[in-house]
Structure formats: C-alpha cells, structure tokens
C-alpha cells in the first residue's frame, strides 16, 4: 500500500536524443525499455534542461566557461528536433483499495507527450504551468512502472542575429516561455532555449478525496492585535460514493530556533 | 495552538470548494521583511479524513501573518510599500534566475537568497524575461525576509518596444498566457514574501491580458472593508 503524500521522482532518469531512438513511447514503456545509460541513452538531470544533461555527461562543454557557448550548436541552426529529447525512468507504486495516484510535472518547457506502461497522455504547451495526470488506472499490476516523456522545445525558438541584441529576433515572445534564452545585453543565448523537464516531477498518493491548491489569507484589525486566518481549499471526491469527510486545519507556532514542537 | 474540524459530504466524482470559518488569533507573531523584525512563520496543516477509509490527503505550508500594501506616492510618483502598516525603504535586487541551465536546487536557492539577505536587501525583483520563480525560491525569501516583486512573461524589448519592433500584441496564444498566469498564482500565492505581481518589464501586457490579470488579482471583496466585521 502506497503511503499518502508526495514522492519526488528525481533519480534514475535516462535521456536520449529523439532522432537517435527508433522506438515509440509505447514500445519504450512496454516491450523495449532502455536498460541503462548506454548509447544513445545517458544519465539525465531531472529536474533540469536538455543542455544540463548534455553538459553533465560531458557531451558538450559547460557554456559558462570561456567562449565554450560558441562551440554549442544553436537550436536555430540545428533545428528543433536536435534538442527534442526522450526522458525515461521507472518507479515502484502499488496501491491499496480506494487509493489514487497523480503524476505531477511542476514545469515542462515547452510541450510533451507522456507514456506510462504503454498509455499516452499529451501535455499542453507552456513553460509556466503544472500538469497533474490521474494515473491510477494505468499503473502496472506488479508495481513496476515504466515512464517515458518526449519533450519538445518552444515552438518559436528564434534565431540570433549576428548583431545579437536583447531577445535576439524576439520570436521567443510568441510563446509563453522565458525570454532571456535568446540572449540579452548581459548574456549569450541558451542554445536549447531551456528545453526540458525543468521543474519537479512527483507522484502524489491520496485516498478517495484529494486536496487541491489551498488558499490562505490573513486579515488584521485593532492595530494587528486581532487577526484572522481565512482558508479555502478545493476538494475532489474520486470515488463512486458520497464521501463523508472530516476536514481539519491546524496552525502550530513555528519551531523556535532548536526547540521542537511535539 | 489552533485546531478546527468541519464535517463535509462530497458527492461521487464531484469537485468542490470549501472555506473554513475564519480562525481568530490574538496578537500573532507577525512576519517582517529583512531588517524590520522577525520572519515568524506558522505551520498550517490541512488534512481530510474520509469515513470508512481514514486519512485521505494532507497539505501543509509555512505561513506568515503580514499585511503588505503599496501605492503610488503622488509627491514623487514612486511606488511606496508598507508592511504591517510600517513604511519600508525598499533595498531591492534584480533577479533573473539562478542558473542558465536551470540546475535549480534547494541548496542553491538557500545560498543565493541568504546572500542577498546578508547584503541587507529586502526585496528581489523577478524580471519578466526570466522565470516565474519556484516555491523553493519563495520559501527562502519567506525565511530570510525578502519581499518578492514577480513579473509575468512580458518584456519591453521582445513585446513591442524593442528593435526591431516585434510582438506588439504579446504572445500568440493569450488564453495560454492566462492559463499559465492563473496556475502560477495558485502555485505561489500563499508565500509571505510575495509582495507584488507585475504585468511585465518596461511594458504593459496587451490590453486583454492586462485587464484579465487585474481582474483576477484584485483584492477579494470580502477583504475590502477595513472595519473588522
């Protein structure tokens, strides 16, 4: 039985350039999973970008030293497929009755397709949005799950004019993504435009009812002597029956220095 | 110190929004910016038990009691900030992001943010061409008392005021921009350090996006009246 709460998936990832992989996402997550960091697969840096993984594997030099950035091909010259990468990992998860699990991506740049045990889910575009997929029904019965994600760069990565300039040719502004990546007066362009699974990947296991995006607000009166905490939560009942819930909120004073509250 | 439990029935497959009755505090320890007092944080835990099942889900967050106000000063045209009713002299630093390959970690954020606090800053301005910063960034700004000015993804250079003039109407997909903005607000809105959402850098977002942001981020009518009822 999986424990209620969040499990971060930040180890054991592999990556490979999409053009070097002849398999589909269904094959990668059923009959032909990669066995380990052997070509074209390499150890991946998640969360992180495609370039971070290539630098960590010494496939490319670190662009922050000397003029190394000049030796890294820019996406404008290589084409988007050159920085379109597969990311792959395995995870254990076995649920008990009435348990549910979500696969969460806190940030992907710029769009992706997710394959889990042979099932495909498409993630919408946008660098600054979370994705939460209810994968309860597609987990593997034996608990060993295979996950593959193909990540595509921004739709408009733009081209860096020979004169450089703030934001290059500004094409990146057509997407909802970080704009500095085309270069600015204080920095050179980022060659992969920060493509990748750039923020946390996690599994969240719940019972039949799930808490989403609580909102906490404080209000003050009488010169801050009288204060109120207002809390609003969204709840989702993912079972087939009426859920009789006890909803609790508890506020504990902070941990003062090294005094622990028990 | 404060525990409140409410009973709730949720129909099968339904998604509901629930507000707790407000919880009263007498003289709570307030959260203050760096150099003005302690950054008191309270651990707020929300959990839901389901009859016949047990604990179903749990969420917690370190919350700071503080009131942040800002307005344009008619005499100077500058933006003035107040925290808990006290005016703040803003010592702000520009922030793009911590690493250009997004190798972002708690440790890295703690080091970067503490460095700025040690330099006696009390605000980080997250530039519109960079990131909507991450919860770990905001957590350490909560801990070290750095107010955060967070811009959305519009810059003068790229969105209509650069050379060449380009994207005068911002990104191609305004609905996608608003979806990302709304989700980012939900991700970050409970952090004590979050002081100001800003449409963009040296540029106002396209009218429809600007209007939607202003509407969504307006003060909730419930908090409009100041007389304490």
């Amino acid at each position: 039985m999986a424990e209620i709460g969040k499990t971060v998936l930040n180890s054991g990832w592999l990556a490979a350039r999409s053009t070097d992989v002849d398999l589909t996402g269904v094959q990668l997550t059923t009959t032909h999973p990669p066995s380990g960091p052997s070509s074209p697969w390499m150890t991946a840096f998640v969360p992180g970008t495609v370039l971070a993984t290539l630098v960590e594997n010494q496939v490319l030099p670190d662009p922050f030293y000397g003029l190394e950035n000049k030796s890294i091909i820019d996406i404008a010259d290589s084409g988007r497929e050159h920085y379109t990468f597969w990311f792959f990992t395995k995870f254990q998860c076995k649920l008990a009755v009435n348990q549910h699990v979500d696969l969460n991506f806190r940030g992907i740049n710029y769009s992706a397709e997710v394959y889990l045990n042979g099932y495909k889910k498409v993630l919408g575009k946008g660098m600054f949005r979370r994705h939460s997929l209810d994968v309860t029904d597609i987990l593997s019965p034996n608990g060993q799950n295979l996950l593959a994600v193909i990540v595509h760069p921004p739709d408009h990565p733009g081209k860096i004019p020979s004169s450089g300039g703030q934001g290059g040719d500004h094409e990146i502004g057509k997407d909802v993504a970080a704009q500095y990546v085309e270069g600015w007066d204080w920095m050179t362009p980022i060659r992969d435009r920060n493509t990748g699974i750039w923020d946390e990947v996690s599994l969240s296991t719940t019972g039949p009812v799930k808490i989403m995006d609580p909102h906490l607000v404080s209000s003050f009166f009488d010169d801050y002597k009288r204060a109120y905490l207002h809390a609003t939560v969204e709840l989702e009942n993912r079972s087939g029956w009426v859920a009789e819930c006890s909803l609790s909120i508890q506020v504990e004073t902070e941990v003062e220095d090294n005094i622990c509250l028990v | 110190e404060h525990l409140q439990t409410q009973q709730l029935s949720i129909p099968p497959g339904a998604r509901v929004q629930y507000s707790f009755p407000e919880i009263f505090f007498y003289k709570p320890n307030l959260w203050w910016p760096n150099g003005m007092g302690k950054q008191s944080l309270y651990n707020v835990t929300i959990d839901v038990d389901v009859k016949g099942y047990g604990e179903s889900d749990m969420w917690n967050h370190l919350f700071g009691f503080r009131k942040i106000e800002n307005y344009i000063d008619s005499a100077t045209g500058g933006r003035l900030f107040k925290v808990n009713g006290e005016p703040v002299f803003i010592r702000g630093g520009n922030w793009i992001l911590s690493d250009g390959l997004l190798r972002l970690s708690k440790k890295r954020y703690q080091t970067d943010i503490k460095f700025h606090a040690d330099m006696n800053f009390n605000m980080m301005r997250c530039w519109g061409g960079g990131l909507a910063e991450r919860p770990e960034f905001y957590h350490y700004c909560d801990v070290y008392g750095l107010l955060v000015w967070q811009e959305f993804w519009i810059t003068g250079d790229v969105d209509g005021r650069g050379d060449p003039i380009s994207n005068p109407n911002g990104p191609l997909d305004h609905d996608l921009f608003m979806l990302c903005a709304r989700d980012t607000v939900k991700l970050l809105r409970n952090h004590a350090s979050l002081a100001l959402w800003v449409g963009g850098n040296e540029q106002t977002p396209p009218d429809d996006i600007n209007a939607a942001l202003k509407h969504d981020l307006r003060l909730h009518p419930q908090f409009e009246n100041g007389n304490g009822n």
Side-chain angles (χ1 to χ4, degrees):
Chain A
M1 169 171 171
E3 196 179 319
I4 298 286
K6 179 170 90 169
T7 308
V8 176
L9 300 182
N10 59 2
S11 60
W13 285 88
L14 300 171
R17 177 163 283 123
S18 59
T19 50
D20 297 340
V21 176
D22 301 329
L23 300 164
T24 66
V26 174
Q27 290 167 316
L28 288 172
T29 57
T30 50
T31 53
H32 295 74
S35 55
S38 54
S39 179
W41 295 91
M42 64 189 88
T43 303
F45 207 77
V46 173
T49 62
V50 166
L51 201 43
T53 284
L54 293 169
V55 169
E56 289 304 315
N57 285 278
Q58 277 102 40
V59 174
L60 289 173
D62 191 325
F64 293 105
Y65 294 101
L67 295 178
E68 297 290 19
N69 199 42
K70 282 183 170 293
S71 63
I72 300 172
I73 188 167
D74 190 88
I75 192 170
D77 304 318
S78 67
R80 292 177 65 246
E81 61 287 340
H82 187 71
Y83 287 111
T84 300
F85 264 62
W86 279 108
F87 291 86
F88 176 88
T89 193
K90 304 173 183 173
F91 62 85
Q92 279 286 347
C93 185
K94 213 158 166 62
L95 295 182
V97 175
N98 293 325
Q99 275 194 327
H100 297 257
V101 69
D102 291 292
L103 173 61
N104 309 301
F105 295 91
R106 215 171 64 179
I108 285 212
N109 192 22
Y110 182 70
S111 60
E113 288 102 61
V114 174
Y115 293 83
L116 179 62
N117 304 325
Y119 293 87
K120 174 182 178 181
K121 301 227 179 195
V122 178
L123 298 189
K125 295 176 178 178
M127 179 175 181
F128 300 108
R129 61 185 287 187
R130 297 168 291 174
H131 305 274
S132 189
L133 306 171
D134 184 341
V135 296
T136 309
D137 301 333
I138 57 177
L139 288 180
S140 161
N142 66 19
Q144 173 71 11
N145 296 279
L146 306 179
L147 170 63
V149 187
I150 183 165
V151 183
H152 304 277
D155 292 344
H156 301 86
K159 195 169 179 57
I160 316 305
S162 54
S163 56
Q166 315 243 88
D169 64 0
H170 305 159
E171 278 300 287
I172 194 77
K174 289 179 167 54
D175 297 335
V176 184
Q179 297 183 356
Y180 82 98
V181 292
E182 275 212 57
W184 227 263
D185 52 357
W186 36 265
M187 72 166 288
T188 56
I190 303 285
R191 297 304 187 196
D192 70 343
R193 306 294 187 268
N194 280 167
T195 300
I197 304 176
W198 70 279
D199 200 359
E200 185 183 271
V201 184
S202 65
L203 296 169
S204 41
T205 305
T206 70
V209 175
K210 167 183 167 185
I211 294 173
M212 289 168 291
D213 289 327
H215 188 193
L216 306 177
V217 178
S218 47
S219 57
F220 303 93
F221 306 95
D222 306 339
D223 196 22
Y224 298 90
K225 291 191 189 65
R226 186 161 52 99
Y228 295 92
L229 177 63
H230 309 259
T232 300
V233 293
E234 283 191 60
L235 297 156
E236 184 180 10
N237 176 7
R238 299 194 278 190
S239 72
W241 27 273
V242 174
E244 299 298 343
C245 304
S246 288
L247 195 56
S248 300
I249 181 169
Q250 179 164 343
V251 184
E252 297 154 285
T253 42
E254 60 186 327
V255 176
E256 289 276 353
D257 303 327
N258 59 3
I259 298 170
C260 295
L261 291 176
V262 179
Chain B
E1 279 188 24
H2 297 268
L3 172 61
Q4 192 192 107
T5 301
Q6 302 293 331
Q7 304 305 317
L8 194 62
S9 283
I10 306 179
R15 185 166 174 160
V16 301
Q17 198 172 76
Y18 177 79
S19 291
F20 285 92
E22 57 211 26
I23 303 177
F24 170 64
F25 287 78
Y26 176 67
K27 287 183 143 180
N29 299 329
L30 298 178
W31 183 89
W32 292 95
N34 185 28
M36 287 180 76
K38 262 177 71 70
Q39 289 76 43
S40 293
L41 294 168
Y42 287 71
N43 187 35
V44 178
T45 305
I46 296 175
D47 61 40
V48 57
D49 273 37
V50 176
K51 197 171 173 184
Y53 177 81
E55 182 181 60
S56 181
D57 201 0
M58 192 272 279
W59 174 88
N60 69 344
H61 181 76
L62 283 178
F63 181 77
F65 283 90
R66 84 318 182 235
K67 179 174 185 178
I68 299 176
E69 301 159 85
N70 74 84
Y71 56 93
I72 298 295
D73 174 52
S74 52
T76 63
R79 185 175 290 273
L80 296 186
F81 286 82
K82 279 186 179 180
V83 177
N84 303 329
E86 298 297 328
V88 185
F89 181 78
I90 294 295
R91 302 181 300 279
N94 256 334
W95 176 269
I96 313 295
L97 78 174
S98 180
D99 173 61
L101 303 186
L102 307 189
R103 295 167 292 198
L104 309 171
S105 66
K106 282 192 171 77
K107 185 87 187 83
R108 191 177 180 114
Y109 274 129
Q110 180 176 20
T111 308
D112 280 339
I113 304 300
K114 188 175 184 309
F115 176 54
H116 284 77
D118 292 347
M119 291 191 287
N120 203 23
F121 282 108
N122 60 13
M123 179 176 272
M124 305 289 269
R125 173 255 178 147
C126 295
W127 173 62
L131 305 178
E133 266 304 349
R134 299 292 90 190
E136 292 75 17
F137 173 93
Y138 279 86
H139 167 70
Y140 287 111
C141 285
D142 295 346
V143 167
Y144 293 114
L146 286 151
L147 297 162
V148 182
W149 158 311
Q150 175 66 64
E151 293 176 8
F152 289 107
W153 320 289
I154 294 282
T155 66
D157 289 286
V158 173
D159 296 294
R161 293 172 64 171
D163 174 19
I165 295 277
S166 40
N167 307 315
N169 198 33
L172 297 178
D173 187 339
H174 289 196
D175 292 338
L176 175 60
F177 187 100
M178 283 313 297
L179 184 150
C180 289
R182 288 181 178 121
D183 195 60
T184 297
V185 168
K186 284 190 171 183
L187 176 70
L188 302 174
R189 63 187 172 183
N190 293 320
H191 285 279
S193 53
L194 175 61
L196 189 65
W197 292 106
V198 180
N201 156 70
E202 297 166 359
Q203 176 63 300
T204 307
D207 291 344
D208 59 321
I209 288 180
N210 205 36
L213 288 173
K214 283 187 171 183
H215 175 268
D216 288 7
L217 291 167
R218 74 195 183 288
L219 184 67
H220 191 285
Q222 175 181 330
F223 301 108
E224 280 296 351
N225 66 348
N227 60 13
N229 294 325

